[in-house]
């Protein structure tokens, strides 16, 4: 059973950086893609970034392209989201999700519990 666990969320100031981690377990034989989504208060969950199993293909939403960077460490079964130049609109709960087809475009069948990021002035 594939399980995902996020960490790294906290409150930061505008312009600061933060790195989120998503650790996968129970999926040694599945070449899945991983994505980060975020959900702002009162809004629906939205796509942020995704990475294919190999790490060669990465996808970003327009709102974070150039500021966020997704990467993975196979040895640690971990996908990172480096977030730079954070803005108040980046505030929300960040979830990681797995696409077991490996395409990186969904469906996103497995989800973590989320980690909260607050960007304040």
């Amino acid at each position: 059973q594939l399980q995902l666990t996020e960490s790294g969320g906290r409150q930061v100031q505008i312009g600061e950086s933060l790195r989120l981690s998503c650790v996968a377990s129970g999926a040694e034989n599945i070449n899945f893609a991983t994505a980060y989504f975020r959900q702002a208060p009162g809004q629906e969950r939205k796509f942020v970034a995704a990475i294919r199993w190999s790490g060669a293909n990465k996808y970003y939403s327009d709102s974070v392209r150039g500021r966020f960077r997704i990467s993975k460490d196979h040895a640690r079964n971990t996908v990172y989201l480096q977030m730079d130049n954070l803005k108040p609109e980046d505030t929300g709960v960040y979830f990681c999700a797995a696409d077991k087809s490996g395409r990186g475009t969904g469906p996103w069948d497995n989800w973590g519990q989320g980690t909260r990021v607050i960007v304040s002035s």
Side-chain angles (χ1 to χ4, degrees):
Q1 180 77 11
L2 172 58
Q3 292 186 321
L4 304 171
T5 305
E6 306 94 333
S7 63
R10 61 180 176 90
Q11 184 168 354
V12 296
Q13 301 293 311
I14 294 173
E16 290 188 339
S17 297
L18 197 59
R19 189 178 77 165
L20 304 183
S21 300
C22 173
V23 179
S25 61
E28 289 77 13
N29 299 316
I30 304 173
N31 294 347
F32 57 93
T34 306
Y36 279 91
F37 290 76
R38 71 183 175 202
Q39 187 165 19
Q43 297 185 22
E44 62 182 20
R45 197 172 298 184
K46 295 181 179 179
F47 171 81
V48 174
I51 187 168
R52 287 194 180 185
W53 172 254
S54 68
N57 297 88
K58 304 174 184 180
Y59 310 94
Y60 298 94
S61 69
D62 290 342
S63 63
V64 307
R65 187 176 292 111
R67 298 188 298 121
F68 289 13
R69 185 173 70 255
I70 192 168
S71 62
K72 69 184 305 180
D73 183 334
H74 280 283
R76 291 181 167 80
N77 294 322
T78 301
V79 172
Y80 301 102
L81 184 68
Q82 176 66 40
M83 306 186 293
D84 297 326
N85 190 22
L86 283 161
K87 303 177 180 181
E89 52 264 42
D90 295 319
T91 293
V93 179
Y94 283 70
F95 299 88
C96 67
D99 166 11
K100 287 184 280 189
S101 79
R103 291 187 298 267
T105 56
W108 305 100
D109 295 322
N110 297 79
W111 293 83
Q113 82 290 347
T115 186
R116 187 177 302 275
V117 174
I118 300 173
V119 184
S120 58
S121 57

Short mmCIF file of all heavy atoms in Angstrom, two decimals, residues 9-71:
data_model
loop_
_atom_site.label_atom_id
_atom_site.label_comp_id
_atom_site.label_asym_id
_atom_site.label_seq_id
_atom_site.Cartn_x
_atom_site.Cartn_y
_atom_site.Cartn_z
N GLY A 9 6.27 22.13 6.37
CA GLY A 9 5.47 23.34 6.37
C GLY A 9 5.60 24.12 7.67
O GLY A 9 5.74 23.53 8.74
N ARG A 10 5.57 25.44 7.57
CA ARG A 10 5.62 26.32 8.75
C ARG A 10 5.28 27.73 8.31
O ARG A 10 5.04 27.99 7.13
CB ARG A 10 7.00 26.28 9.41
CG ARG A 10 8.15 26.74 8.53
CD ARG A 10 9.48 26.65 9.30
NE ARG A 10 10.61 27.00 8.46
CZ ARG A 10 11.07 28.24 8.34
NH1 ARG A 10 10.47 29.23 8.97
NH2 ARG A 10 12.13 28.48 7.57
N GLN A 11 5.31 28.66 9.22
CA GLN A 11 5.05 30.06 8.89
C GLN A 11 6.36 30.75 8.54
O GLN A 11 7.36 30.59 9.25
CB GLN A 11 4.39 30.78 10.06
CG GLN A 11 4.01 32.22 9.74
CD GLN A 11 3.11 32.82 10.79
OE1 GLN A 11 2.65 32.13 11.72
NE2 GLN A 11 2.79 34.09 10.65
N VAL A 12 6.34 31.50 7.43
CA VAL A 12 7.52 32.24 6.98
C VAL A 12 7.11 33.64 6.57
O VAL A 12 5.91 33.94 6.44
CB VAL A 12 8.22 31.54 5.79
CG1 VAL A 12 8.76 30.17 6.19
CG2 VAL A 12 7.26 31.41 4.60
N GLN A 13 8.10 34.49 6.34
CA GLN A 13 7.86 35.85 5.89
C GLN A 13 7.87 35.92 4.36
O GLN A 13 8.45 35.07 3.68
CB GLN A 13 8.93 36.78 6.45
CG GLN A 13 9.02 36.81 7.96
CD GLN A 13 7.80 37.42 8.58
OE1 GLN A 13 7.36 38.49 8.19
NE2 GLN A 13 7.22 36.74 9.57
N ILE A 14 7.26 36.95 3.83
CA ILE A 14 7.28 37.19 2.38
C ILE A 14 8.73 37.23 1.89
O ILE A 14 9.58 37.87 2.51
CB ILE A 14 6.56 38.49 2.03
CG1 ILE A 14 5.07 38.38 2.35
CG2 ILE A 14 6.75 38.87 0.57
CD1 ILE A 14 4.32 39.69 2.20
N GLY A 15 8.98 36.55 0.78
CA GLY A 15 10.31 36.55 0.19
C GLY A 15 11.23 35.45 0.69
O GLY A 15 12.29 35.23 0.10
N GLU A 16 10.85 34.79 1.76
CA GLU A 16 11.69 33.72 2.30
C GLU A 16 11.52 32.42 1.50
O GLU A 16 10.67 32.33 0.60
CB GLU A 16 11.37 33.49 3.77
CG GLU A 16 11.81 34.63 4.66
CD GLU A 16 11.65 34.29 6.15
OE1 GLU A 16 10.87 33.40 6.48
OE2 GLU A 16 12.29 34.97 6.97
N SER A 17 12.34 31.44 1.85
CA SER A 17 12.31 30.15 1.17
C SER A 17 11.92 29.05 2.15
O SER A 17 12.07 29.20 3.37
CB SER A 17 13.69 29.83 0.57
OG SER A 17 14.05 30.77 -0.41
N LEU A 18 11.44 27.95 1.57
CA LEU A 18 11.02 26.81 2.38
C LEU A 18 11.14 25.56 1.50
O LEU A 18 10.90 25.63 0.29
CB LEU A 18 9.57 27.00 2.83
CG LEU A 18 9.01 26.17 3.97
CD1 LEU A 18 9.82 26.40 5.23
CD2 LEU A 18 7.55 26.52 4.19
N ARG A 19 11.49 24.45 2.11
CA ARG A 19 11.54 23.19 1.36
C ARG A 19 10.61 22.17 2.01
O ARG A 19 10.73 21.87 3.20
CB ARG A 19 12.96 22.62 1.31
CG ARG A 19 13.08 21.44 0.34
CD ARG A 19 14.47 20.90 0.24
NE ARG A 19 14.83 20.07 1.38
CZ ARG A 19 15.86 19.24 1.43
NH1 ARG A 19 16.66 19.14 0.36
NH2 ARG A 19 16.12 18.54 2.51
N LEU A 20 9.70 21.65 1.21
CA LEU A 20 8.80 20.59 1.66
C LEU A 20 9.35 19.23 1.22
O LEU A 20 10.03 19.13 0.20
CB LEU A 20 7.41 20.78 1.06
CG LEU A 20 6.73 22.13 1.32
CD1 LEU A 20 5.32 22.13 0.72
CD2 LEU A 20 6.69 22.47 2.79
N SER A 21 9.03 18.21 2.01
CA SER A 21 9.43 16.85 1.69
C SER A 21 8.21 15.95 1.63
O SER A 21 7.27 16.12 2.41
CB SER A 21 10.40 16.31 2.75
OG SER A 21 11.56 17.10 2.85
N CYS A 22 8.26 14.98 0.73
CA CYS A 22 7.20 13.98 0.62
C CYS A 22 7.88 12.62 0.55
O CYS A 22 8.56 12.31 -0.45
CB CYS A 22 6.36 14.22 -0.63
SG CYS A 22 5.15 12.92 -0.97
N VAL A 23 7.73 11.83 1.61
CA VAL A 23 8.36 10.53 1.68
C VAL A 23 7.34 9.45 1.32
O VAL A 23 6.23 9.44 1.85
CB VAL A 23 8.93 10.27 3.09
CG1 VAL A 23 9.56 8.88 3.15
CG2 VAL A 23 9.93 11.34 3.47
N ALA A 24 7.73 8.56 0.42
CA ALA A 24 6.86 7.46 0.00
C ALA A 24 7.29 6.16 0.65
O ALA A 24 8.48 5.90 0.80
CB ALA A 24 6.90 7.32 -1.51
N SER A 25 6.31 5.35 1.01
CA SER A 25 6.60 4.03 1.55
C SER A 25 5.61 3.03 1.00
O SER A 25 4.51 3.41 0.55
CB SER A 25 6.54 4.05 3.09
OG SER A 25 5.25 4.41 3.52
N GLY A 26 5.99 1.76 1.00
CA GLY A 26 5.08 0.71 0.57
C GLY A 26 4.88 0.61 -0.93
O GLY A 26 3.89 0.04 -1.38
N ALA A 27 5.83 1.16 -1.72
CA ALA A 27 5.63 1.16 -3.17
C ALA A 27 6.92 0.81 -3.90
O ALA A 27 7.26 1.44 -4.90
CB ALA A 27 5.13 2.52 -3.62
N GLU A 28 7.61 -0.19 -3.42
CA GLU A 28 8.92 -0.50 -3.98
C GLU A 28 8.86 -0.93 -5.43
O GLU A 28 9.83 -0.79 -6.16
CB GLU A 28 9.57 -1.62 -3.13
CG GLU A 28 10.01 -1.17 -1.74
CD GLU A 28 8.86 -1.03 -0.78
OE1 GLU A 28 7.76 -1.51 -1.09
OE2 GLU A 28 9.05 -0.44 0.30
N ASN A 29 7.72 -1.46 -5.89
CA ASN A 29 7.64 -1.98 -7.25
C ASN A 29 6.77 -1.13 -8.17
O ASN A 29 6.35 -1.59 -9.22
CB ASN A 29 7.12 -3.41 -7.22
CG ASN A 29 8.03 -4.33 -6.44
OD1 ASN A 29 9.25 -4.28 -6.59
ND2 ASN A 29 7.46 -5.18 -5.60
N ILE A 30 6.51 0.09 -7.77
CA ILE A 30 5.65 0.97 -8.56
C ILE A 30 6.44 2.20 -9.00
O ILE A 30 7.00 2.90 -8.16
CB ILE A 30 4.42 1.42 -7.76
CG1 ILE A 30 3.63 0.21 -7.24
CG2 ILE A 30 3.52 2.31 -8.62
CD1 ILE A 30 2.50 0.58 -6.32
N ASN A 31 6.52 2.44 -10.29
CA ASN A 31 7.21 3.64 -10.80
C ASN A 31 6.19 4.77 -10.96
O ASN A 31 5.74 5.09 -12.05
CB ASN A 31 7.87 3.33 -12.14
CG ASN A 31 9.00 2.33 -12.01
OD1 ASN A 31 9.46 2.04 -10.91
ND2 ASN A 31 9.44 1.79 -13.12
N PHE A 32 5.86 5.38 -9.87
CA PHE A 32 4.81 6.39 -9.87
C PHE A 32 5.38 7.79 -10.01
O PHE A 32 6.51 8.07 -9.62
CB PHE A 32 3.99 6.29 -8.57
CG PHE A 32 4.81 6.44 -7.32
CD1 PHE A 32 4.98 7.69 -6.72
CD2 PHE A 32 5.40 5.33 -6.74
CE1 PHE A 32 5.74 7.81 -5.57
CE2 PHE A 32 6.16 5.45 -5.59
CZ PHE A 32 6.34 6.69 -5.00
N ALA A 33 4.58 8.67 -10.56
CA ALA A 33 4.89 10.09 -10.59
C ALA A 33 4.36 10.72 -9.29
O ALA A 33 3.44 10.18 -8.67
CB ALA A 33 4.23 10.75 -11.79
N THR A 34 4.94 11.83 -8.92
CA THR A 34 4.56 12.52 -7.68
C THR A 34 4.27 13.98 -7.97
O THR A 34 4.96 14.60 -8.78
CB THR A 34 5.68 12.43 -6.63
OG1 THR A 34 6.05 11.06 -6.44
CG2 THR A 34 5.22 13.02 -5.30
N ALA A 35 3.25 14.49 -7.32
CA ALA A 35 2.89 15.89 -7.49
C ALA A 35 2.64 16.54 -6.15
O ALA A 35 2.36 15.86 -5.15
CB ALA A 35 1.65 16.03 -8.36
N TYR A 36 2.75 17.86 -6.14
CA TYR A 36 2.30 18.67 -5.02
C TYR A 36 1.09 19.48 -5.47
O TYR A 36 1.08 20.04 -6.57
CB TYR A 36 3.40 19.62 -4.55
CG TYR A 36 4.44 19.00 -3.66
CD1 TYR A 36 5.59 18.45 -4.17
CD2 TYR A 36 4.26 18.99 -2.27
CE1 TYR A 36 6.56 17.89 -3.34
CE2 TYR A 36 5.22 18.45 -1.43
CZ TYR A 36 6.37 17.90 -1.97
OH TYR A 36 7.32 17.36 -1.13
N PHE A 37 0.10 19.50 -4.59
CA PHE A 37 -1.08 20.34 -4.74
C PHE A 37 -1.16 21.23 -3.50
O PHE A 37 -0.60 20.90 -2.46
CB PHE A 37 -2.35 19.49 -4.83
CG PHE A 37 -2.49 18.70 -6.10
CD1 PHE A 37 -1.74 17.55 -6.30
CD2 PHE A 37 -3.38 19.09 -7.08
CE1 PHE A 37 -1.87 16.81 -7.47
CE2 PHE A 37 -3.52 18.35 -8.25
CZ PHE A 37 -2.76 17.21 -8.44
N ARG A 38 -1.86 22.31 -3.62
CA ARG A 38 -2.09 23.14 -2.43
C ARG A 38 -3.55 23.56 -2.38
O ARG A 38 -4.21 23.71 -3.41
CB ARG A 38 -1.17 24.35 -2.36
CG ARG A 38 -1.47 25.45 -3.37
CD ARG A 38 -0.45 26.56 -3.26
NE ARG A 38 -0.62 27.57 -4.29
CZ ARG A 38 0.34 28.40 -4.69
NH1 ARG A 38 1.54 28.32 -4.13
NH2 ARG A 38 0.10 29.30 -5.63
N GLN A 39 -4.00 23.76 -1.16
CA GLN A 39 -5.37 24.19 -0.93
C GLN A 39 -5.36 25.39 0.00
O GLN A 39 -4.99 25.26 1.18
CB GLN A 39 -6.20 23.06 -0.33
CG GLN A 39 -7.68 23.37 -0.23
CD GLN A 39 -8.50 22.12 0.02
OE1 GLN A 39 -7.98 21.09 0.47
NE2 GLN A 39 -9.79 22.20 -0.28
N ALA A 40 -5.72 26.53 -0.54
CA ALA A 40 -5.81 27.74 0.26
C ALA A 40 -7.13 27.74 1.02
O ALA A 40 -8.09 27.06 0.62
CB ALA A 40 -5.72 28.96 -0.65
N PRO A 41 -7.20 28.49 2.11
CA PRO A 41 -8.44 28.53 2.90
C PRO A 41 -9.64 28.91 2.04
O PRO A 41 -9.62 29.92 1.33
CB PRO A 41 -8.15 29.60 3.95
CG PRO A 41 -6.67 29.57 4.10
CD PRO A 41 -6.13 29.28 2.72
N GLY A 42 -10.68 28.09 2.08
CA GLY A 42 -11.90 28.38 1.36
C GLY A 42 -11.85 28.12 -0.13
O GLY A 42 -12.81 28.46 -0.84
N GLN A 43 -10.75 27.52 -0.60
CA GLN A 43 -10.62 27.29 -2.04
C GLN A 43 -10.43 25.81 -2.33
O GLN A 43 -10.15 25.01 -1.44
CB GLN A 43 -9.43 28.09 -2.59
CG GLN A 43 -9.60 29.59 -2.46
CD GLN A 43 -8.46 30.34 -3.14
OE1 GLN A 43 -7.78 29.83 -4.02
NE2 GLN A 43 -8.26 31.58 -2.73
N GLU A 44 -10.55 25.45 -3.60
CA GLU A 44 -10.34 24.06 -3.98
C GLU A 44 -8.85 23.76 -4.09
O GLU A 44 -8.02 24.66 -4.21
CB GLU A 44 -11.02 23.78 -5.33
CG GLU A 44 -10.48 24.58 -6.49
CD GLU A 44 -11.22 24.30 -7.79
OE1 GLU A 44 -12.35 23.79 -7.72
OE2 GLU A 44 -10.67 24.61 -8.85
N ARG A 45 -8.54 22.48 -4.04
CA ARG A 45 -7.17 22.05 -4.17
C ARG A 45 -6.67 22.28 -5.60
O ARG A 45 -7.37 21.97 -6.55
CB ARG A 45 -7.08 20.57 -3.80
CG ARG A 45 -5.72 20.05 -3.50
CD ARG A 45 -5.80 18.64 -2.96
NE ARG A 45 -6.54 18.59 -1.71
CZ ARG A 45 -6.68 17.48 -0.98
NH1 ARG A 45 -6.12 16.34 -1.40
NH2 ARG A 45 -7.36 17.49 0.14
N LYS A 46 -5.46 22.82 -5.74
CA LYS A 46 -4.92 23.15 -7.06
C LYS A 46 -3.54 22.55 -7.27
O LYS A 46 -2.74 22.47 -6.33
CB LYS A 46 -4.88 24.66 -7.25
CG LYS A 46 -6.24 25.32 -7.26
CD LYS A 46 -6.12 26.82 -7.48
CE LYS A 46 -7.49 27.48 -7.51
NZ LYS A 46 -7.40 28.95 -7.70
N PHE A 47 -3.26 22.21 -8.50
CA PHE A 47 -1.97 21.65 -8.87
C PHE A 47 -0.86 22.68 -8.71
O PHE A 47 -1.03 23.85 -9.07
CB PHE A 47 -2.04 21.16 -10.32
CG PHE A 47 -0.72 20.76 -10.90
CD1 PHE A 47 -0.21 19.50 -10.63
CD2 PHE A 47 0.00 21.62 -11.70
CE1 PHE A 47 1.01 19.10 -11.16
CE2 PHE A 47 1.22 21.24 -12.24
CZ PHE A 47 1.72 19.98 -11.97
N VAL A 48 0.29 22.23 -8.21
CA VAL A 48 1.46 23.11 -8.06
C VAL A 48 2.61 22.63 -8.95
O VAL A 48 3.14 23.39 -9.76
CB VAL A 48 1.92 23.17 -6.59
CG1 VAL A 48 3.22 23.96 -6.46
CG2 VAL A 48 0.83 23.77 -5.72
N ALA A 49 3.01 21.37 -8.78
CA ALA A 49 4.16 20.85 -9.54
C ALA A 49 4.11 19.32 -9.53
O ALA A 49 3.51 18.72 -8.64
CB ALA A 49 5.48 21.33 -8.93
N ALA A 50 4.73 18.72 -10.54
CA ALA A 50 4.79 17.26 -10.62
C ALA A 50 6.12 16.83 -11.21
O ALA A 50 6.77 17.58 -11.93
CB ALA A 50 3.64 16.71 -11.47
N ILE A 51 6.49 15.58 -10.91
CA ILE A 51 7.73 15.02 -11.42
C ILE A 51 7.49 13.55 -11.74
O ILE A 51 6.86 12.83 -10.97
CB ILE A 51 8.88 15.21 -10.40
CG1 ILE A 51 10.22 14.77 -10.99
CG2 ILE A 51 8.58 14.49 -9.09
CD1 ILE A 51 11.41 15.22 -10.12
N ARG A 52 7.99 13.11 -12.88
CA ARG A 52 7.86 11.72 -13.23
C ARG A 52 8.84 10.86 -12.43
O ARG A 52 9.74 11.38 -11.77
CB ARG A 52 8.11 11.52 -14.73
CG ARG A 52 6.98 12.03 -15.60
CD ARG A 52 7.11 11.51 -17.00
NE ARG A 52 6.04 11.98 -17.85
CZ ARG A 52 5.88 11.59 -19.11
NH1 ARG A 52 6.74 10.73 -19.65
NH2 ARG A 52 4.88 12.06 -19.81
N TRP A 53 8.63 9.57 -12.48
CA TRP A 53 9.45 8.65 -11.69
C TRP A 53 10.95 8.87 -11.94
O TRP A 53 11.74 8.90 -11.01
CB TRP A 53 9.06 7.21 -12.04
CG TRP A 53 9.98 6.21 -11.42
CD1 TRP A 53 10.95 5.48 -12.03
CD2 TRP A 53 10.02 5.85 -10.04
NE1 TRP A 53 11.59 4.68 -11.12
CE2 TRP A 53 11.04 4.88 -9.89
CE3 TRP A 53 9.29 6.24 -8.91
CZ2 TRP A 53 11.34 4.30 -8.66
CZ3 TRP A 53 9.60 5.66 -7.70
CH2 TRP A 53 10.61 4.72 -7.58
N SER A 54 11.33 8.99 -13.19
CA SER A 54 12.75 9.13 -13.51
C SER A 54 13.32 10.44 -13.03
O SER A 54 14.53 10.58 -12.86
CB SER A 54 12.95 9.02 -15.02
OG SER A 54 12.38 10.15 -15.66
N GLY A 55 12.47 11.43 -12.85
CA GLY A 55 12.93 12.77 -12.49
C GLY A 55 13.25 13.63 -13.68
O GLY A 55 13.57 14.81 -13.53
N ALA A 56 13.17 13.06 -14.88
CA ALA A 56 13.56 13.80 -16.08
C ALA A 56 12.52 14.80 -16.52
O ALA A 56 12.84 15.81 -17.16
CB ALA A 56 13.85 12.82 -17.21
N ASN A 57 11.27 14.55 -16.22
CA ASN A 57 10.18 15.44 -16.65
C ASN A 57 9.54 16.10 -15.43
O ASN A 57 9.15 15.41 -14.49
CB ASN A 57 9.13 14.65 -17.42
CG ASN A 57 9.69 14.05 -18.69
OD1 ASN A 57 10.22 12.94 -18.65
ND2 ASN A 57 9.61 14.77 -19.77
N LYS A 58 9.42 17.41 -15.50
CA LYS A 58 8.85 18.18 -14.39
C LYS A 58 7.82 19.14 -14.96
O LYS A 58 7.97 19.65 -16.06
CB LYS A 58 9.96 18.95 -13.65
CG LYS A 58 11.07 18.04 -13.14
CD LYS A 58 12.21 18.83 -12.55
CE LYS A 58 13.35 17.89 -12.15
NZ LYS A 58 14.50 18.62 -11.57
N TYR A 59 6.79 19.39 -14.17
CA TYR A 59 5.70 20.24 -14.60
C TYR A 59 5.38 21.21 -13.49
O TYR A 59 5.42 20.87 -12.31
CB TYR A 59 4.45 19.39 -14.92
CG TYR A 59 4.75 18.22 -15.84
CD1 TYR A 59 5.03 16.97 -15.30
CD2 TYR A 59 4.76 18.37 -17.21
CE1 TYR A 59 5.31 15.89 -16.12
CE2 TYR A 59 5.04 17.30 -18.05
CZ TYR A 59 5.32 16.07 -17.50
OH TYR A 59 5.60 15.01 -18.32
N TYR A 60 5.04 22.45 -13.87
CA TYR A 60 4.74 23.49 -12.89
C TYR A 60 3.50 24.27 -13.30
O TYR A 60 3.23 24.46 -14.48
CB TYR A 60 5.90 24.47 -12.76
CG TYR A 60 7.19 23.85 -12.28
CD1 TYR A 60 8.15 23.40 -13.17
CD2 TYR A 60 7.45 23.70 -10.92
CE1 TYR A 60 9.33 22.82 -12.74
CE2 TYR A 60 8.63 23.12 -10.46
CZ TYR A 60 9.56 22.69 -11.39
OH TYR A 60 10.72 22.11 -10.94
N SER A 61 2.78 24.76 -12.30
CA SER A 61 1.70 25.69 -12.60
C SER A 61 2.32 27.05 -12.93
O SER A 61 3.45 27.36 -12.53
CB SER A 61 0.77 25.81 -11.39
OG SER A 61 1.42 26.47 -10.33
N ASP A 62 1.59 27.86 -13.65
CA ASP A 62 2.09 29.18 -14.03
C ASP A 62 2.40 30.04 -12.82
O ASP A 62 3.33 30.86 -12.86
CB ASP A 62 1.06 29.89 -14.92
CG ASP A 62 0.95 29.25 -16.29
OD1 ASP A 62 1.87 28.51 -16.69
OD2 ASP A 62 -0.08 29.49 -16.95
N SER A 63 1.66 29.87 -11.76
CA SER A 63 1.81 30.73 -10.59
C SER A 63 3.10 30.48 -9.82
O SER A 63 3.52 31.34 -9.04
CB SER A 63 0.61 30.55 -9.65
OG SER A 63 0.57 29.23 -9.16
N VAL A 64 3.74 29.33 -10.02
CA VAL A 64 4.96 29.01 -9.26
C VAL A 64 6.18 28.82 -10.15
O VAL A 64 7.30 28.74 -9.64
CB VAL A 64 4.77 27.76 -8.38
CG1 VAL A 64 3.54 27.89 -7.50
CG2 VAL A 64 4.71 26.48 -9.22
N ARG A 65 5.99 28.74 -11.46
CA ARG A 65 7.12 28.49 -12.37
C ARG A 65 8.16 29.60 -12.20
O ARG A 65 7.85 30.79 -12.19
CB ARG A 65 6.64 28.42 -13.81
CG ARG A 65 7.74 28.00 -14.80
CD ARG A 65 7.20 27.84 -16.21
NE ARG A 65 6.30 26.69 -16.29
CZ ARG A 65 4.99 26.80 -16.48
NH1 ARG A 65 4.44 27.98 -16.59
NH2 ARG A 65 4.25 25.71 -16.54
N GLY A 66 9.40 29.19 -12.04
CA GLY A 66 10.48 30.14 -11.82
C GLY A 66 10.79 30.42 -10.36
O GLY A 66 11.86 30.94 -10.04
N ARG A 67 9.86 30.07 -9.47
CA ARG A 67 10.08 30.27 -8.03
C ARG A 67 10.18 28.94 -7.28
O ARG A 67 10.89 28.86 -6.27
CB ARG A 67 8.93 31.08 -7.42
CG ARG A 67 8.77 32.48 -7.99
CD ARG A 67 7.73 33.28 -7.18
NE ARG A 67 6.41 32.68 -7.24
CZ ARG A 67 5.72 32.27 -6.17
NH1 ARG A 67 6.25 32.40 -4.96
NH2 ARG A 67 4.52 31.75 -6.30
N PHE A 68 9.47 27.93 -7.74
CA PHE A 68 9.47 26.63 -7.09
C PHE A 68 10.24 25.63 -7.96
O PHE A 68 10.26 25.74 -9.19
CB PHE A 68 8.05 26.11 -6.91
CG PHE A 68 7.22 26.84 -5.88
CD1 PHE A 68 7.62 28.05 -5.35
CD2 PHE A 68 6.02 26.29 -5.45
CE1 PHE A 68 6.85 28.72 -4.40
CE2 PHE A 68 5.23 26.93 -4.51
CZ PHE A 68 5.65 28.16 -4.00
N ARG A 69 10.81 24.64 -7.29
CA ARG A 69 11.55 23.60 -8.01
C ARG A 69 11.27 22.26 -7.35
O ARG A 69 11.46 22.09 -6.14
CB ARG A 69 13.04 23.90 -7.99
CG ARG A 69 13.88 22.94 -8.81
CD ARG A 69 15.33 23.40 -8.86
NE ARG A 69 16.00 23.27 -7.59
CZ ARG A 69 16.28 24.29 -6.77
NH1 ARG A 69 15.97 25.51 -7.10
NH2 ARG A 69 16.91 24.07 -5.63
N ILE A 70 10.81 21.30 -8.17
CA ILE A 70 10.53 19.95 -7.66
C ILE A 70 11.68 19.04 -8.03
O ILE A 70 12.25 19.14 -9.12
CB ILE A 70 9.18 19.44 -8.21
CG1 ILE A 70 8.73 18.18 -7.46
CG2 ILE A 70 9.23 19.22 -9.72
CD1 ILE A 70 7.29 17.79 -7.76
N SER A 71 12.05 18.15 -7.10
CA SER A 71 13.15 17.23 -7.34
C SER A 71 12.90 15.96 -6.54
O SER A 71 12.01 15.92 -5.69
CB SER A 71 14.48 17.86 -6.93
OG SER A 71 14.49 18.16 -5.54
#
